Short mmCIF file of all heavy atoms in Angstrom, two decimals:
data_model
loop_
_atom_site.label_atom_id
_atom_site.label_comp_id
_atom_site.label_asym_id
_atom_site.label_seq_id
_atom_site.Cartn_x
_atom_site.Cartn_y
_atom_site.Cartn_z
N LYS J 144 1.45 1.99 -29.38
CA LYS J 144 2.47 2.45 -28.44
C LYS J 144 1.83 2.84 -27.14
O LYS J 144 0.78 3.44 -27.13
CB LYS J 144 3.22 3.64 -29.03
CG LYS J 144 3.99 3.30 -30.28
CD LYS J 144 4.76 4.50 -30.79
CE LYS J 144 5.56 4.18 -32.04
NZ LYS J 144 6.30 5.34 -32.58
N LYS J 145 2.50 2.47 -26.01
CA LYS J 145 1.99 2.80 -24.67
C LYS J 145 2.74 3.98 -24.12
O LYS J 145 3.95 4.11 -24.29
CB LYS J 145 2.15 1.63 -23.70
CG LYS J 145 1.31 0.43 -24.09
CD LYS J 145 1.49 -0.69 -23.09
CE LYS J 145 0.66 -1.90 -23.46
NZ LYS J 145 0.80 -3.00 -22.47
N ASN J 146 1.95 4.78 -23.37
CA ASN J 146 2.58 5.91 -22.72
C ASN J 146 3.27 5.44 -21.45
O ASN J 146 2.65 4.85 -20.57
CB ASN J 146 1.51 6.96 -22.39
CG ASN J 146 2.16 8.26 -21.93
OD1 ASN J 146 3.38 8.40 -21.82
ND2 ASN J 146 1.32 9.28 -21.74
N PRO J 147 4.55 5.66 -21.32
CA PRO J 147 5.26 5.18 -20.12
C PRO J 147 4.78 5.79 -18.82
O PRO J 147 4.96 5.25 -17.76
CB PRO J 147 6.72 5.55 -20.41
CG PRO J 147 6.68 6.60 -21.46
CD PRO J 147 5.44 6.38 -22.26
N LYS J 148 4.11 6.92 -18.86
CA LYS J 148 3.65 7.54 -17.63
C LYS J 148 2.45 6.83 -17.07
O LYS J 148 2.20 6.92 -15.87
CB LYS J 148 3.32 9.02 -17.88
CG LYS J 148 4.52 9.86 -18.24
CD LYS J 148 4.15 11.32 -18.45
CE LYS J 148 5.35 12.19 -18.81
NZ LYS J 148 5.00 13.62 -19.01
N ILE J 149 1.66 6.21 -17.95
CA ILE J 149 0.46 5.53 -17.47
C ILE J 149 0.64 4.02 -17.42
O ILE J 149 -0.33 3.28 -17.29
CB ILE J 149 -0.75 5.92 -18.37
CG1 ILE J 149 -0.51 5.48 -19.82
CG2 ILE J 149 -1.05 7.40 -18.28
CD1 ILE J 149 -1.71 5.73 -20.75
N ASP J 150 1.88 3.58 -17.50
CA ASP J 150 2.16 2.12 -17.42
C ASP J 150 2.14 1.70 -15.95
O ASP J 150 3.05 2.06 -15.17
CB ASP J 150 3.52 1.84 -18.06
CG ASP J 150 3.73 0.35 -18.22
OD1 ASP J 150 2.80 -0.45 -17.91
OD2 ASP J 150 4.86 -0.05 -18.64
N LEU J 151 1.07 0.97 -15.60
CA LEU J 151 0.91 0.57 -14.18
C LEU J 151 1.85 -0.55 -13.76
O LEU J 151 2.11 -0.75 -12.57
CB LEU J 151 -0.55 0.15 -13.93
CG LEU J 151 -1.59 1.24 -14.16
CD1 LEU J 151 -2.99 0.68 -13.96
CD2 LEU J 151 -1.34 2.42 -13.25
N SER J 152 2.33 -1.29 -14.69
CA SER J 152 3.21 -2.41 -14.33
C SER J 152 4.52 -1.93 -13.72
O SER J 152 5.14 -2.62 -12.92
CB SER J 152 3.49 -3.27 -15.57
OG SER J 152 4.12 -2.47 -16.59
N ARG J 153 4.92 -0.78 -14.04
CA ARG J 153 6.16 -0.25 -13.48
C ARG J 153 5.98 0.15 -12.02
O ARG J 153 6.90 0.16 -11.24
CB ARG J 153 6.63 0.95 -14.30
CG ARG J 153 6.97 0.57 -15.75
CD ARG J 153 7.38 1.79 -16.53
NE ARG J 153 8.55 2.43 -15.92
CZ ARG J 153 9.07 3.57 -16.36
NH1 ARG J 153 8.51 4.23 -17.38
NH2 ARG J 153 10.13 4.08 -15.77
N GLN J 154 4.76 0.55 -11.60
CA GLN J 154 4.51 0.98 -10.22
C GLN J 154 3.84 -0.11 -9.38
O GLN J 154 3.37 0.14 -8.29
CB GLN J 154 3.62 2.23 -10.25
CG GLN J 154 4.25 3.40 -10.97
CD GLN J 154 3.35 4.60 -11.02
OE1 GLN J 154 2.21 4.53 -10.55
NE2 GLN J 154 3.84 5.71 -11.60
N GLY J 155 3.78 -1.34 -9.91
CA GLY J 155 3.12 -2.42 -9.14
C GLY J 155 3.84 -2.77 -7.85
O GLY J 155 3.24 -3.00 -6.82
N GLY J 156 5.15 -2.76 -7.88
CA GLY J 156 5.91 -3.10 -6.65
C GLY J 156 5.74 -2.07 -5.56
O GLY J 156 5.61 -2.39 -4.38
N ILE J 157 5.69 -0.78 -5.97
CA ILE J 157 5.54 0.28 -4.96
C ILE J 157 4.16 0.21 -4.35
O ILE J 157 3.99 0.34 -3.13
CB ILE J 157 5.80 1.63 -5.60
CG1 ILE J 157 7.24 1.71 -6.13
CG2 ILE J 157 5.54 2.76 -4.62
CD1 ILE J 157 7.54 2.96 -6.94
N LEU J 158 3.15 -0.02 -5.16
CA LEU J 158 1.78 -0.10 -4.63
C LEU J 158 1.60 -1.29 -3.70
O LEU J 158 0.90 -1.22 -2.69
CB LEU J 158 0.79 -0.16 -5.80
CG LEU J 158 0.73 1.09 -6.69
CD1 LEU J 158 -0.21 0.86 -7.89
CD2 LEU J 158 0.27 2.31 -5.90
N LEU J 159 2.27 -2.39 -4.07
CA LEU J 159 2.17 -3.58 -3.21
C LEU J 159 2.77 -3.31 -1.83
O LEU J 159 2.21 -3.68 -0.80
CB LEU J 159 2.86 -4.76 -3.88
CG LEU J 159 2.85 -6.07 -3.10
CD1 LEU J 159 1.41 -6.55 -2.87
CD2 LEU J 159 3.66 -7.15 -3.86
N ASN J 160 3.89 -2.64 -1.78
CA ASN J 160 4.54 -2.35 -0.49
C ASN J 160 3.70 -1.40 0.34
O ASN J 160 3.59 -1.51 1.55
CB ASN J 160 5.93 -1.75 -0.73
CG ASN J 160 6.89 -2.78 -1.33
OD1 ASN J 160 6.71 -3.98 -1.15
ND2 ASN J 160 7.89 -2.31 -2.07
N ILE J 161 3.08 -0.40 -0.36
CA ILE J 161 2.25 0.56 0.38
C ILE J 161 1.04 -0.14 0.95
O ILE J 161 0.64 0.08 2.10
CB ILE J 161 1.84 1.71 -0.55
CG1 ILE J 161 3.07 2.53 -0.94
CG2 ILE J 161 0.81 2.60 0.12
CD1 ILE J 161 2.79 3.60 -2.02
N GLY J 162 0.45 -1.09 0.21
CA GLY J 162 -0.74 -1.81 0.70
C GLY J 162 -0.42 -2.69 1.91
O GLY J 162 -1.18 -2.74 2.87
N MET J 163 0.74 -3.35 1.83
CA MET J 163 1.13 -4.20 2.97
C MET J 163 1.41 -3.37 4.21
O MET J 163 1.06 -3.75 5.31
CB MET J 163 2.38 -5.02 2.59
CG MET J 163 2.10 -6.08 1.51
SD MET J 163 3.58 -7.00 1.10
CE MET J 163 3.87 -7.79 2.65
N ALA J 164 2.01 -2.18 4.06
CA ALA J 164 2.30 -1.33 5.20
C ALA J 164 1.03 -0.83 5.84
O ALA J 164 0.89 -0.79 7.07
CB ALA J 164 3.18 -0.15 4.76
N VAL J 165 0.03 -0.45 4.99
CA VAL J 165 -1.24 0.03 5.54
C VAL J 165 -1.96 -1.09 6.26
O VAL J 165 -2.53 -0.89 7.34
CB VAL J 165 -2.11 0.62 4.40
CG1 VAL J 165 -3.51 0.94 4.88
CG2 VAL J 165 -1.45 1.87 3.82
N SER J 166 -1.92 -2.29 5.68
CA SER J 166 -2.61 -3.42 6.34
C SER J 166 -1.98 -3.74 7.69
O SER J 166 -2.67 -3.98 8.68
CB SER J 166 -2.56 -4.65 5.42
OG SER J 166 -3.21 -4.37 4.19
N LEU J 167 -0.66 -3.72 7.73
CA LEU J 167 0.04 -3.99 9.00
C LEU J 167 -0.28 -2.95 10.03
O LEU J 167 -0.47 -3.24 11.22
CB LEU J 167 1.54 -4.07 8.74
CG LEU J 167 2.41 -4.39 9.95
CD1 LEU J 167 2.05 -5.77 10.53
CD2 LEU J 167 3.90 -4.39 9.56
N LEU J 168 -0.38 -1.69 9.60
CA LEU J 168 -0.68 -0.62 10.54
C LEU J 168 -2.08 -0.78 11.10
O LEU J 168 -2.31 -0.57 12.29
CB LEU J 168 -0.53 0.74 9.83
CG LEU J 168 -0.81 1.98 10.67
CD1 LEU J 168 0.17 2.07 11.84
CD2 LEU J 168 -0.71 3.26 9.81
N LEU J 169 -3.05 -1.16 10.24
CA LEU J 169 -4.42 -1.36 10.71
C LEU J 169 -4.50 -2.51 11.72
O LEU J 169 -5.23 -2.44 12.70
CB LEU J 169 -5.34 -1.62 9.51
CG LEU J 169 -5.55 -0.43 8.57
CD1 LEU J 169 -6.39 -0.86 7.37
CD2 LEU J 169 -6.23 0.73 9.28
N VAL J 170 -3.73 -3.56 11.48
CA VAL J 170 -3.75 -4.69 12.43
C VAL J 170 -3.19 -4.28 13.78
O VAL J 170 -3.73 -4.61 14.84
CB VAL J 170 -2.97 -5.88 11.84
CG1 VAL J 170 -2.80 -6.97 12.89
CG2 VAL J 170 -3.68 -6.43 10.62
N ILE J 171 -2.10 -3.51 13.77
CA ILE J 171 -1.49 -3.08 15.04
C ILE J 171 -2.44 -2.18 15.80
O ILE J 171 -2.62 -2.29 17.01
CB ILE J 171 -0.15 -2.37 14.76
CG1 ILE J 171 0.85 -3.39 14.19
CG2 ILE J 171 0.40 -1.73 16.03
CD1 ILE J 171 2.16 -2.76 13.73
N VAL J 172 -3.11 -1.24 15.08
CA VAL J 172 -4.05 -0.33 15.74
C VAL J 172 -5.21 -1.10 16.31
O VAL J 172 -5.70 -0.82 17.41
CB VAL J 172 -4.52 0.75 14.74
CG1 VAL J 172 -5.66 1.56 15.33
CG2 VAL J 172 -3.37 1.66 14.35
N ALA J 173 -5.68 -2.13 15.61
CA ALA J 173 -6.82 -2.92 16.10
C ALA J 173 -6.49 -3.65 17.39
O ALA J 173 -7.33 -3.75 18.29
CB ALA J 173 -7.27 -3.89 15.01
N PHE J 174 -5.26 -4.17 17.49
CA PHE J 174 -4.88 -4.91 18.71
C PHE J 174 -4.55 -3.99 19.86
O PHE J 174 -4.75 -4.34 21.01
CB PHE J 174 -3.68 -5.83 18.42
CG PHE J 174 -4.07 -7.13 17.75
CD1 PHE J 174 -3.93 -7.29 16.38
CD2 PHE J 174 -4.60 -8.18 18.49
CE1 PHE J 174 -4.29 -8.47 15.77
CE2 PHE J 174 -4.97 -9.35 17.87
CZ PHE J 174 -4.82 -9.52 16.50
N GLU J 175 -4.03 -2.80 19.56
CA GLU J 175 -3.60 -1.92 20.63
C GLU J 175 -4.68 -0.94 21.06
O GLU J 175 -4.52 -0.23 22.04
CB GLU J 175 -2.37 -1.12 20.16
CG GLU J 175 -1.13 -1.97 19.93
CD GLU J 175 -0.65 -2.57 21.22
OE1 GLU J 175 -0.84 -1.94 22.29
OE2 GLU J 175 -0.06 -3.68 21.18
N TRP J 176 -5.81 -0.86 20.39
CA TRP J 176 -6.87 0.09 20.73
C TRP J 176 -7.58 -0.35 21.98
O TRP J 176 -7.97 -1.49 22.12
CB TRP J 176 -7.86 0.20 19.56
CG TRP J 176 -8.91 1.23 19.82
CD1 TRP J 176 -10.13 1.06 20.34
CD2 TRP J 176 -8.81 2.61 19.57
NE1 TRP J 176 -10.82 2.20 20.46
CE2 TRP J 176 -10.01 3.23 19.97
CE3 TRP J 176 -7.79 3.44 19.01
CZ2 TRP J 176 -10.23 4.60 19.84
CZ3 TRP J 176 -8.05 4.79 18.90
CH2 TRP J 176 -9.25 5.35 19.32
N ARG J 177 -7.73 0.47 22.97
CA ARG J 177 -8.38 0.20 24.25
C ARG J 177 -9.49 1.19 24.46
O ARG J 177 -9.33 2.37 24.17
CB ARG J 177 -7.38 0.29 25.41
CG ARG J 177 -6.28 -0.76 25.34
CD ARG J 177 -5.36 -0.59 26.50
NE ARG J 177 -4.28 -1.56 26.44
CZ ARG J 177 -3.29 -1.64 27.34
NH1 ARG J 177 -3.28 -0.78 28.37
NH2 ARG J 177 -2.34 -2.53 27.20
N SER J 178 -10.60 0.69 25.02
CA SER J 178 -11.74 1.55 25.32
C SER J 178 -12.05 1.49 26.79
O SER J 178 -11.94 0.43 27.40
CB SER J 178 -12.97 1.11 24.51
OG SER J 178 -13.33 -0.20 24.85
#
């Protein structure tokens, strides 16, 4: 039996969205950063 609290498959969609948002933010910061 698996513990539902540690089942990563249920949180895969949320983690994927968070990763895509962070990647997009890093790309925007890289293009908009001026020195």
